[in-house]
Amino acid sequence: MQQHLPSGTIPPHPSGPSRTGTFLGRSRTSTGLVAAAAATAGLLLTGLAPGAQAVAANPYERGPAPTNASIEASRGSYAVSQTSVSSLVASGFGGGTIYYPTSTADGTFGAVVISPGFTAYESSIAWLGPRLASQGFVVFTIDTNTTLDQPDSRGRQLLAALDHLTQRSSVRTRVDASRLGVMGHSMGGGGSLEAAKSRTSLKAAIPLTGWNTDKTWPELRTPTLVVGADGDTVAPVATHSKPFYTSLPGSLDKAYLELRGASHFTPNTSNTTIAKYSISWLKRFIDNDTRYEQFLCPLPQPSLTIAEYRGNCPHTA
């Protein structure tokens, strides 16, 4: 089932040289005409070159140049549609909802799959679907096989959902299968680390107040933004998010964002700080869009919403 969403609406949920030459004429008139033509051609080439070079440098840029206001807004520049994936047709995960830019004018988009946490359903992370999709991504928020699945299982389910999205979904032609990422809350956050460990081709991973009994991730090769909460008593940052971050390879593009005045369940409701830095991270590493580097480097400073931010700058990918 496909449905178009009005702008700004979250649906109810069921539970991306000029060349110069010398022209010689036989007369002053012909020389002038040729020179004028050459000048016109030069202007045309000069006008086209920057665009052509920009496309060649990064063909994955999607949407207008970002501003703080644009990435903090509840919706980006793309109108969003959605389609449901029944658990009856899902293989290896529990079904879910795909949010995607309605227009096909910009070609394909990068994609991200998002898993909920322990005992939770897709509805708990559904707010991220239209918010991220409106910025120029295909976003798949999923249910898991059971609400009690552990991080290793959720990691496999994230990858199964990515495979469904790129190979079997009704919007597969809108997705660039070479530019994929994973996110998840709590057990799903631990699952996003598991997925990145298993599939090193992933371009971005974002565990949100993640939980996992495995505290060390030196084998990860995927740019990873670890998001913790200073008031988390379920997966305290001292025993989860901080060890996750510090164990990542020093050569990896990585960051640690600790939310101020937040709990383990903060990612379950719309949150501007989570959205802002998730969008920036996904744009920077799934789309290789360096226009978003400004929001990640220099490192954001502590504020009313940020208790701590660590990372390596500038980014290399």
Side-chain angles (χ1 to χ4, degrees):
M1 178 187 73
Q2 295 191 4
Q3 171 185 353
H4 292 287
L5 298 177
S7 177
T9 301
I10 299 179
H13 201 279
S15 4
S18 61
R19 297 179 181 175
T20 56
T22 302
F23 295 83
L24 301 178
R26 293 183 179 180
S27 69
R28 182 174 299 174
T29 300
S30 61
T31 298
L33 290 172
V34 172
T40 301
L43 287 172
L44 289 172
L45 285 170
T46 300
L48 289 174
Q53 289 169 354
V55 170
N58 181 16
Y60 307 130
E61 284 186 4
R62 298 291 183 268
T67 63
N68 263 306
S70 74
I71 60 174
E72 291 179 354
S74 61
R75 290 295 179 273
S77 62
Y78 289 94
V80 173
S81 298
Q82 72 177 78
T83 183
S84 297
V85 177
S86 168
S87 60
L88 299 177
V89 301
S91 177
F93 64 104
T97 306
I98 303 171
Y99 302 87
Y100 58 96
T102 303
S103 172
T104 59
D106 289 343
T108 57
F109 295 89
V112 59
V113 174
I114 309 175
S115 167
F118 190 63
T119 74
Y121 296 93
E122 175 199 357
S123 56
S124 67
I125 40 89
W127 70 273
L128 285 161
R131 190 150 184 173
L132 298 181
S134 69
Q135 296 284 348
F137 295 102
V138 176
V139 184
F140 196 180
T141 57
I142 66 169
D143 270 319
T144 48
N145 290 328
T146 80
T147 59
L148 306 181
D149 293 323
Q150 298 295 299
D152 58 345
S153 173
R154 287 171 193 254
R156 292 191 296 272
Q157 292 179 62
L158 283 165
L159 297 180
L162 280 173
D163 292 340
H164 179 95
L165 183 63
T166 59
Q167 299 169 20
R168 297 183 295 280
S169 76
S170 61
V171 298
R172 60 189 179 276
T173 58
R174 297 171 181 261
V175 179
D176 182 344
S178 70
R179 298 188 293 116
L180 305 175
V182 288
M183 296 178 65
H185 172 239
S186 191
M187 288 279 189
S192 70
L193 295 170
E194 299 281 0
K197 176 181 176 179
S198 298
R199 189 171 295 181
T200 58
S201 62
L202 293 178
K203 302 300 184 185
I206 306 178
L208 302 169
T209 58
W211 189 98
N212 200 310
T213 56
D214 186 348
K215 311 301 182 184
T216 59
W217 300 90
E219 59 276 90
L220 260 63
R221 299 295 178 265
T222 297
T224 301
L225 169 63
V226 178
V227 179
D230 63 354
D232 194 335
T233 57
V234 178
V237 294
T239 54
H240 289 78
S241 291
K242 284 185 176 179
F244 297 162
Y245 170 77
T246 56
S247 71
L248 295 171
S251 59
L252 184 68
D253 287 311
K254 60 180 183 176
Y256 170 72
L257 165 62
E258 185 174 316
L259 303 171
R260 185 186 299 278
S263 76
H264 183 71
F265 302 101
T266 293
N268 291 156
T269 55
S270 181
N271 183 281
T272 297
T273 304
I274 291 174
K276 175 180 181 176
Y277 292 103
S278 294
I279 290 165
S280 298
W281 196 263
L282 297 173
K283 284 286 191 177
R284 180 63 183 82
F285 294 105
I286 289 182
D287 288 355
N288 194 31
D289 194 336
T290 55
R291 297 179 300 173
Y292 289 79
E293 182 81 353
Q294 62 182 302
F295 308 111
L296 303 171
C297 296
L299 298 178
Q301 295 300 301
S303 67
L304 293 176
T305 60
I306 297 175
E308 184 180 353
Y309 196 106
R310 307 182 196 176
N312 54 356
C313 288
H315 297 117
T316 58

